[in-house]
Coordinates of all heavy atoms in Angstrom, one line a residue:
M1 N 15.1 6.2 -23.8 CA 14.2 5.2 -23.4 C 13.8 5.4 -21.9 O 12.6 5.2 -21.6 CB 14.9 3.8 -23.5 CG 14.0 2.7 -23.1 SD 14.8 1.1 -23.5 CE 13.9 0.1 -22.5
W2 N 14.7 5.8 -21.1 CA 14.3 5.9 -19.6 C 13.9 7.4 -19.3 O 13.8 7.7 -18.1 CB 15.5 5.5 -18.8 CG 15.7 4.0 -18.8 CD1 16.5 3.3 -19.6 CD2 15.1 3.1 -18.0 NE1 16.5 2.0 -19.4 CE2 15.5 1.8 -18.4 CE3 14.1 3.1 -17.0 CZ2 15.1 0.6 -17.8 CZ3 13.7 2.0 -16.4 CH2 14.2 0.7 -16.8
K3 N 13.8 8.2 -20.3 CA 13.5 9.6 -20.0 C 12.2 9.8 -19.3 O 12.1 10.6 -18.4 CB 13.5 10.3 -21.4 CG 13.7 11.8 -21.2 CD 14.0 12.4 -22.6 CE 14.6 13.8 -22.3 NZ 15.0 14.4 -23.5
W4 N 11.2 9.0 -19.6 CA 9.9 9.1 -19.0 C 10.0 8.7 -17.5 O 9.3 9.3 -16.6 CB 8.8 8.3 -19.7 CG 9.1 6.8 -19.6 CD1 9.8 6.1 -20.4 CD2 8.7 5.9 -18.5 NE1 9.9 4.8 -20.0 CE2 9.2 4.6 -18.8 CE3 7.9 6.1 -17.4 CZ2 9.0 3.5 -18.0 CZ3 7.7 5.0 -16.6 CH2 8.3 3.7 -16.9
F5 N 10.9 7.7 -17.2 CA 11.0 7.3 -15.8 C 11.8 8.3 -15.0 O 11.5 8.5 -13.8 CB 11.8 5.9 -15.9 CG 11.8 5.3 -14.5 CD1 10.7 4.7 -14.0 CD2 13.0 5.2 -13.8 CE1 10.7 4.1 -12.7 CE2 13.1 4.5 -12.6 CZ 11.9 4.0 -12.0
Q6 N 12.8 9.0 -15.6 CA 13.5 10.0 -14.9 C 12.7 11.2 -14.6 O 13.0 11.9 -13.7 CB 14.8 10.3 -15.7 CG 15.8 9.2 -15.8 CD 16.9 9.5 -16.8 OE1 16.9 10.4 -17.5 NE2 17.9 8.7 -16.7
K7 N 11.7 11.5 -15.5 CA 10.8 12.6 -15.2 C 10.0 12.5 -13.9 O 9.6 13.4 -13.4 CB 9.9 12.8 -16.4 CG 10.5 13.5 -17.6 CD 9.4 13.7 -18.6 CE 10.0 14.4 -19.8 NZ 9.0 14.7 -20.8
L8 N 9.8 11.2 -13.5 CA 9.0 11.0 -12.3 C 9.7 11.5 -11.0 O 9.1 11.7 -10.0 CB 8.8 9.5 -12.1 CG 7.8 8.9 -13.1 CD1 7.7 7.4 -12.8 CD2 6.5 9.5 -13.0
A9 N 11.1 11.8 -11.1 CA 11.8 12.4 -10.0 C 11.5 13.9 -9.9 O 11.8 14.4 -8.8 CB 13.3 12.1 -10.2
S10 N 10.9 14.5 -10.9 CA 10.6 15.9 -10.8 C 9.2 16.0 -10.3 O 8.2 15.5 -10.9 CB 10.7 16.5 -12.2 OG 10.2 17.8 -12.3
P11 N 9.0 16.8 -9.2 CA 7.7 16.9 -8.6 C 6.6 17.4 -9.6 O 5.5 16.9 -9.6 CB 7.9 17.8 -7.4 CG 9.3 17.6 -7.0 CD 10.0 17.3 -8.3
P12 N 6.9 18.4 -10.4 CA 5.8 18.9 -11.3 C 5.3 17.7 -12.2 O 4.1 17.6 -12.5 CB 6.4 20.0 -12.1 CG 7.5 20.5 -11.2 CD 8.0 19.3 -10.5
H13 N 6.2 17.0 -12.8 CA 5.8 15.9 -13.7 C 5.1 14.8 -12.9 O 4.1 14.2 -13.4 CB 7.0 15.4 -14.4 CG 7.6 16.3 -15.4 ND1 7.0 16.7 -16.6 CD2 8.8 17.0 -15.4 CE1 7.7 17.6 -17.2 NE2 8.8 17.8 -16.5
F14 N 5.6 14.5 -11.8 CA 5.0 13.4 -11.0 C 3.6 13.8 -10.5 O 2.7 12.9 -10.6 CB 5.9 13.1 -9.7 CG 5.2 12.1 -8.9 CD1 5.2 10.7 -9.2 CD2 4.6 12.4 -7.7 CE1 4.6 9.8 -8.4 CE2 4.0 11.5 -6.9 CZ 4.0 10.2 -7.2
Y15 N 3.4 15.0 -10.1 CA 2.1 15.4 -9.7 C 1.1 15.4 -10.8 O -0.1 15.2 -10.6 CB 2.1 16.8 -9.0 CG 2.8 16.8 -7.6 CD1 3.6 17.8 -7.2 CD2 2.6 15.7 -6.8 CE1 4.1 17.8 -5.9 CE2 3.2 15.6 -5.5 CZ 3.9 16.7 -5.1 OH 4.5 16.7 -3.9
Q16 N 1.6 15.7 -12.0 CA 0.7 15.7 -13.2 C 0.2 14.3 -13.5 O -1.0 14.0 -13.7 CB 1.4 16.3 -14.4 CG 0.6 16.4 -15.6 CD 1.3 17.0 -16.8 OE1 2.5 17.1 -16.7 NE2 0.6 17.3 -17.9
I17 N 1.2 13.4 -13.5 CA 0.8 12.0 -13.7 C 0.0 11.4 -12.6 O -1.0 10.7 -12.8 CB 2.1 11.1 -13.9 CG1 2.8 11.6 -15.2 CG2 1.8 9.7 -14.0 CD1 4.2 11.0 -15.4
A18 N 0.3 11.7 -11.4 CA -0.4 11.2 -10.2 C -1.9 11.8 -10.2 O -2.8 11.1 -9.8 CB 0.3 11.6 -8.9
G19 N -2.0 13.0 -10.6 CA -3.4 13.6 -10.7 C -4.3 12.9 -11.7 O -5.5 12.8 -11.5
V20 N -3.7 12.4 -12.8 CA -4.4 11.7 -13.8 C -4.8 10.3 -13.3 O -5.9 9.8 -13.5 CB -3.6 11.6 -15.1 CG1 -4.3 10.7 -16.1 CG2 -3.5 13.0 -15.7
L21 N -3.8 9.6 -12.6 CA -4.0 8.2 -12.2 C -4.8 8.1 -10.9 O -5.4 7.0 -10.6 CB -2.7 7.6 -12.0 CG -1.9 7.3 -13.3 CD1 -0.6 6.7 -13.0 CD2 -2.7 6.5 -14.3
R22 N -4.9 9.1 -10.1 CA -5.6 9.0 -8.8 C -7.0 8.6 -8.9 O -7.4 7.7 -8.1 CB -5.5 10.4 -8.1 CG -6.1 10.3 -6.7 CD -5.9 11.6 -6.0 NE -6.6 11.5 -4.7 CZ -7.2 12.5 -4.1 NH1 -7.1 13.7 -4.6 NH2 -7.8 12.3 -2.9
P23 N -7.9 9.1 -9.7 CA -9.2 8.6 -9.7 C -9.3 7.1 -10.1 O -10.2 6.4 -9.7 CB -9.9 9.5 -10.8 CG -9.1 10.7 -11.0 CD -7.7 10.3 -10.6
W24 N -8.4 6.7 -11.0 CA -8.5 5.3 -11.4 C -7.9 4.3 -10.4 O -8.3 3.2 -10.4 CB -7.6 5.1 -12.7 CG -8.3 5.8 -13.8 CD1 -7.9 7.1 -14.3 CD2 -9.3 5.4 -14.7 NE1 -8.7 7.4 -15.4 CE2 -9.6 6.4 -15.6 CE3 -10.1 4.2 -14.7 CZ2 -10.6 6.3 -16.6 CZ3 -11.1 4.1 -15.7 CH2 -11.3 5.1 -16.6
L25 N -7.0 4.8 -9.5 CA -6.4 3.9 -8.6 C -6.9 4.0 -7.2 O -6.6 3.2 -6.3 CB -4.9 4.1 -8.6 CG -4.1 3.9 -9.9 CD1 -2.7 4.2 -9.7 CD2 -4.3 2.4 -10.3
L26 N -7.8 5.0 -6.9 CA -8.3 5.2 -5.6 C -9.1 4.0 -5.1 O -8.9 3.5 -4.0 CB -9.1 6.5 -5.5 CG -9.8 6.8 -4.2 CD1 -8.7 7.0 -3.1 CD2 -10.7 7.9 -4.3
W27 N -10.1 3.6 -5.8 CA -11.1 2.6 -5.4 C -10.4 1.2 -5.4 O -10.6 0.4 -4.4 CB -12.3 2.6 -6.2 CG -13.1 3.8 -6.0 CD1 -13.3 4.8 -6.9 CD2 -13.7 4.3 -4.8 NE1 -14.0 5.8 -6.3 CE2 -14.3 5.5 -5.0 CE3 -13.8 3.7 -3.5 CZ2 -14.9 6.2 -4.0 CZ3 -14.5 4.4 -2.5 CH2 -15.1 5.6 -2.8
P28 N -9.5 0.8 -6.3 CA -8.8 -0.5 -6.2 C -7.9 -0.5 -5.0 O -7.8 -1.5 -4.3 CB -8.0 -0.6 -7.5 CG -8.7 0.2 -8.4 CD -9.3 1.4 -7.7
A29 N -7.3 0.7 -4.7 CA -6.4 0.7 -3.5 C -7.2 0.6 -2.2 O -6.8 -0.1 -1.3 CB -5.6 2.1 -3.5
L30 N -8.3 1.2 -2.1 CA -9.2 1.1 -0.9 C -9.7 -0.3 -0.8 O -9.7 -0.9 0.4 CB -10.3 2.1 -0.9 CG -9.9 3.5 -0.7 CD1 -11.1 4.4 -0.9 CD2 -9.3 3.8 0.6
A31 N -10.1 -0.9 -1.9 CA -10.6 -2.3 -1.8 C -9.5 -3.3 -1.3 O -9.7 -4.2 -0.5 CB -11.1 -2.7 -3.2
L32 N -8.3 -3.1 -1.9 CA -7.1 -4.0 -1.4 C -6.8 -3.7 0.0 O -6.4 -4.6 0.7 CB -5.9 -3.8 -2.4 CG -6.1 -4.3 -3.8 CD1 -4.9 -3.9 -4.6 CD2 -6.2 -5.8 -3.7
L33 N -6.8 -2.5 0.4 CA -6.6 -2.2 1.9 C -7.5 -2.8 2.8 O -7.1 -3.5 3.8 CB -6.6 -0.6 2.1 CG -6.3 -0.1 3.5 CD1 -4.9 -0.4 3.8 CD2 -6.7 1.3 3.6
L34 N -8.8 -2.8 2.5 CA -9.8 -3.4 3.3 C -9.7 -5.0 3.3 O -9.9 -5.6 4.3 CB -11.2 -3.0 2.9 CG -11.6 -1.6 3.1 CD1 -12.9 -1.2 2.5 CD2 -11.6 -1.3 4.6
L35 N -9.4 -5.5 2.1 CA -9.1 -6.9 2.0 C -7.9 -7.4 2.8 O -8.0 -8.4 3.5 CB -8.9 -7.3 0.5 CG -8.8 -8.8 0.2 CD1 -10.1 -9.5 0.5 CD2 -8.4 -9.0 -1.3
G36 N -6.9 -6.6 2.8 CA -5.7 -6.9 3.6 C -6.0 -6.9 5.1 O -5.5 -7.7 5.9
I37 N -6.7 -5.9 5.5 CA -7.1 -5.7 6.9 C -7.9 -6.9 7.4 O -7.7 -7.5 8.4 CB -7.8 -4.4 7.2 CG1 -6.8 -3.3 7.1 CG2 -8.4 -4.4 8.6 CD1 -7.4 -1.9 7.2
Y38 N -8.9 -7.3 6.5 CA -9.8 -8.4 6.9 C -8.9 -9.7 6.9 O -9.1 -10.5 7.9 CB -10.9 -8.5 5.8 CG -11.7 -9.8 6.0 CD1 -12.6 -9.8 7.0 CD2 -11.6 -10.9 5.2 CE1 -13.4 -11.0 7.2 CE2 -12.3 -12.0 5.4 CZ -13.2 -12.1 6.4 OH -14.0 -13.2 6.6
G39 N -8.1 -9.9 6.0 CA -7.2 -11.1 5.9 C -6.3 -11.2 7.1 O -6.1 -12.3 7.7
G40 N -5.7 -10.1 7.5 CA -4.7 -10.1 8.6 C -5.4 -10.2 9.9 O -4.8 -10.8 10.8
L41 N -6.5 -9.7 10.1 CA -7.2 -9.7 11.4 C -8.2 -10.8 11.7 O -8.4 -11.2 12.8 CB -7.8 -8.3 11.7 CG -6.9 -7.1 11.8 CD1 -7.7 -5.9 12.1 CD2 -5.9 -7.3 12.9
F42 N -8.8 -11.3 10.6 CA -9.8 -12.3 10.8 C -9.5 -13.6 10.2 O -9.9 -14.7 10.7 CB -11.1 -11.8 10.3 CG -11.6 -10.5 11.0 CD1 -11.6 -9.3 10.3 CD2 -12.1 -10.6 12.3 CE1 -12.0 -8.1 11.0 CE2 -12.5 -9.4 12.9 CZ -12.4 -8.2 12.3
V43 N -8.8 -13.7 9.0 CA -8.6 -14.9 8.3 C -7.3 -15.6 8.8 O -7.3 -16.8 8.9 CB -8.6 -14.7 6.8 CG1 -8.2 -15.9 6.0 CG2 -9.9 -14.1 6.3
A44 N -6.3 -14.8 9.1 CA -5.0 -15.4 9.5 C -5.2 -16.2 10.8 O -5.9 -15.8 11.8 CB -4.0 -14.3 9.8
P45 N -4.6 -17.4 10.9 CA -4.8 -18.2 12.1 C -4.0 -17.6 13.3 O -3.0 -16.9 13.1 CB -4.2 -19.6 11.7 CG -3.2 -19.3 10.6 CD -3.8 -18.1 9.9
A46 N -4.5 -17.9 14.4 CA -3.8 -17.5 15.7 C -2.5 -18.3 15.9 O -2.4 -19.4 15.5 CB -4.8 -17.7 16.9
D47 N -1.6 -17.6 16.5 CA -0.3 -18.3 16.8 C -0.5 -19.3 17.9 O -1.3 -19.1 18.8 CB 0.7 -17.2 17.2 CG 2.1 -17.8 17.4 OD1 2.6 -18.4 16.4 OD2 2.7 -17.6 18.4
Y48 N 0.2 -20.4 17.9 CA 0.0 -21.4 18.9 C 0.5 -21.0 20.3 O 0.1 -21.6 21.3 CB 0.6 -22.7 18.5 CG 2.1 -22.8 18.5 CD1 2.8 -23.4 19.6 CD2 2.9 -22.2 17.5 CE1 4.2 -23.4 19.7 CE2 4.3 -22.3 17.6 CZ 4.9 -22.9 18.6 OH 6.3 -22.9 18.7
L49 N 1.4 -20.0 20.4 CA 1.9 -19.6 21.7 C 1.2 -18.3 22.1 O 0.9 -18.1 23.3 CB 3.4 -19.4 21.7 CG 4.2 -20.7 21.6 CD1 5.7 -20.3 21.5 CD2 4.0 -21.5 22.8
Q50 N 1.1 -17.3 21.2 CA 0.6 -16.0 21.6 C -0.9 -15.8 21.4 O -1.4 -14.8 21.8 CB 1.4 -15.0 20.7 CG 2.8 -14.9 21.0 CD 3.6 -13.9 20.1 OE1 2.9 -13.2 19.4 NE2 4.9 -14.0 20.1
G51 N -1.5 -16.7 20.7 CA -3.0 -16.6 20.5 C -3.3 -15.5 19.5 O -2.6 -15.3 18.5
D52 N -4.4 -14.9 19.8 CA -4.9 -13.8 18.9 C -4.1 -12.5 18.9 O -4.2 -11.7 18.0 CB -6.4 -13.5 19.3 CG -7.3 -14.6 18.9 OD1 -7.0 -15.3 17.9 OD2 -8.4 -14.7 19.5
G53 N -3.3 -12.3 20.0 CA -2.5 -11.1 20.1 C -1.5 -11.0 19.0 O -1.0 -9.9 18.7
F54 N -1.1 -12.1 18.4 CA -0.1 -12.2 17.3 C -0.6 -11.4 16.0 O 0.2 -10.9 15.3 CB 0.2 -13.6 16.9 CG 1.1 -13.8 15.8 CD1 2.5 -13.5 16.0 CD2 0.7 -14.2 14.6 CE1 3.4 -13.6 14.9 CE2 1.6 -14.3 13.5 CZ 2.9 -14.1 13.7
R55 N -1.9 -11.4 15.8 CA -2.4 -10.8 14.6 C -2.2 -9.3 14.5 O -2.3 -8.7 13.4 CB -3.9 -11.1 14.5 CG -4.2 -12.5 14.3 CD -5.7 -12.7 14.2 NE -6.0 -14.1 14.3 CZ -7.2 -14.6 14.4 NH1 -8.2 -13.8 14.6 NH2 -7.4 -15.9 14.5
I56 N -2.0 -8.6 15.6 CA -1.7 -7.2 15.6 C -0.5 -6.8 14.8 O -0.3 -5.7 14.3 CB -1.7 -6.6 17.0 CG1 -2.0 -5.1 17.0 CG2 -0.4 -6.9 17.7 CD1 -3.4 -4.8 16.6
I57 N 0.4 -7.8 14.6 CA 1.6 -7.6 13.8 C 1.3 -7.3 12.4 O 2.0 -6.5 11.7 CB 2.5 -8.9 13.9 CG1 3.1 -8.9 15.3 CG2 3.6 -8.8 12.9 CD1 4.0 -10.2 15.6
Y58 N 0.2 -7.9 11.9 CA -0.2 -7.6 10.5 C -0.7 -6.2 10.3 O -0.8 -5.8 9.2 CB -1.3 -8.6 10.1 CG -0.9 -10.0 10.1 CD1 -1.5 -11.0 10.9 CD2 0.1 -10.4 9.2 CE1 -1.0 -12.3 10.9 CE2 0.5 -11.8 9.2 CZ 0.0 -12.7 10.0 OH 0.4 -14.0 10.0
V59 N -1.0 -5.5 11.3 CA -1.4 -4.1 11.2 C -0.2 -3.2 11.6 O 0.1 -2.2 10.9 CB -2.6 -3.8 12.1 CG1 -2.9 -2.3 12.1 CG2 -3.8 -4.6 11.7
H60 N 0.5 -3.4 12.7 CA 1.5 -2.5 13.2 C 2.7 -2.5 12.3 O 3.4 -1.4 12.2 CB 1.8 -2.9 14.6 CG 0.9 -2.3 15.6 ND1 0.2 -3.1 16.5 CD2 0.4 -1.1 15.8 CE1 -0.6 -2.4 17.2 NE2 -0.5 -1.1 16.8
V61 N 3.2 -3.6 11.8 CA 4.4 -3.6 11.0 C 4.3 -2.8 9.7 O 5.1 -1.9 9.4 CB 4.9 -5.1 10.7 CG1 6.0 -5.1 9.8 CG2 5.3 -5.7 12.1
P62 N 3.2 -3.0 8.9 CA 3.0 -2.1 7.7 C 2.9 -0.7 8.1 O 3.3 0.2 7.4 CB 1.8 -2.7 7.0 CG 1.7 -4.1 7.5 CD 2.2 -4.1 8.9
A63 N 2.1 -0.4 9.2 CA 2.0 1.0 9.6 C 3.3 1.7 10.0 O 3.5 2.8 9.7 CB 1.0 1.1 10.8
A64 N 4.1 0.9 10.7 CA 5.4 1.5 11.1 C 6.3 1.6 9.9 O 7.0 2.6 9.8 CB 6.1 0.5 12.1
W65 N 6.2 0.7 9.0 CA 7.0 0.8 7.7 C 6.6 2.0 6.9 O 7.5 2.8 6.4 CB 6.9 -0.5 6.9 CG 7.8 -0.5 5.8 CD1 9.1 -0.8 5.7 CD2 7.4 -0.3 4.4 NE1 9.6 -0.7 4.5 CE2 8.6 -0.4 3.6 CE3 6.2 0.0 3.8 CZ2 8.6 -0.3 2.2 CZ3 6.2 0.1 2.4 CH2 7.4 0.0 1.7
L66 N 5.3 2.2 6.8 CA 4.8 3.4 6.0 C 5.1 4.7 6.7 O 5.3 5.8 6.0 CB 3.4 3.3 5.7 CG 3.0 2.2 4.7 CD1 1.5 2.0 4.6 CD2 3.5 2.6 3.3
S67 N 5.2 4.7 8.0 CA 5.5 6.0 8.7 C 6.9 6.5 8.5 O 7.2 7.6 8.8 CB 5.2 5.8 10.2 OG 6.2 5.0 10.8
M68 N 7.7 5.6 8.1 CA 9.1 6.0 7.9 C 9.3 6.5 6.4 O 10.1 7.1 6.0 CB 10.1 4.9 8.1 CG 10.2 4.5 9.5 SD 11.5 3.2 9.6 CE 11.3 2.8 11.3

C-alpha cells in the first residue's frame, strides 16, 4: 500500500513524477505566492508598536525557513 510513497524517496522516481506535475502546479504556485506576498505586505495590519516595519516578518521568516 505504501510502496508508491516509498518510491518518492528515490530521486529517479521523484524526478519522473515531478516532471509530470510541474506544468500543472507551476501557475497555481506562482498565483499563491503572489497572493501571499500581497496579503503579507499590504493587507496585514500594522503592529501597534512597530508600525509598518513589522510586516517584513511575513517575508523574511518564510525565506529563512526555505533557505534551510
Side-chain angles (χ1 to χ4, degrees):
M1 178 174 165
W2 289 94
K3 201 168 197 175
W4 66 271
F5 189 69
Q6 292 172 349
K7 283 185 177 181
L8 292 177
S10 172
H13 292 290
F14 176 77
Y15 289 144
Q16 182 181 11
I17 293 170
V20 171
L21 292 178
R22 183 177 176 211
W24 293 97
L25 297 178
L26 177 66
W27 295 111
L30 289 175
L32 288 173
L33 179 68
L34 291 175
L35 184 66
I37 289 173
Y38 175 75
L41 293 179
F42 298 108
V43 176
D47 187 55
Y48 73 99
L49 289 177
Q50 298 177 8
D52 288 331
F54 176 74
R55 293 182 193 166
I56 201 70
I57 290 175
Y58 294 118
V59 174
H60 280 121
V61 173
W65 185 77
L66 287 172
S67 71
M68 292 186 184

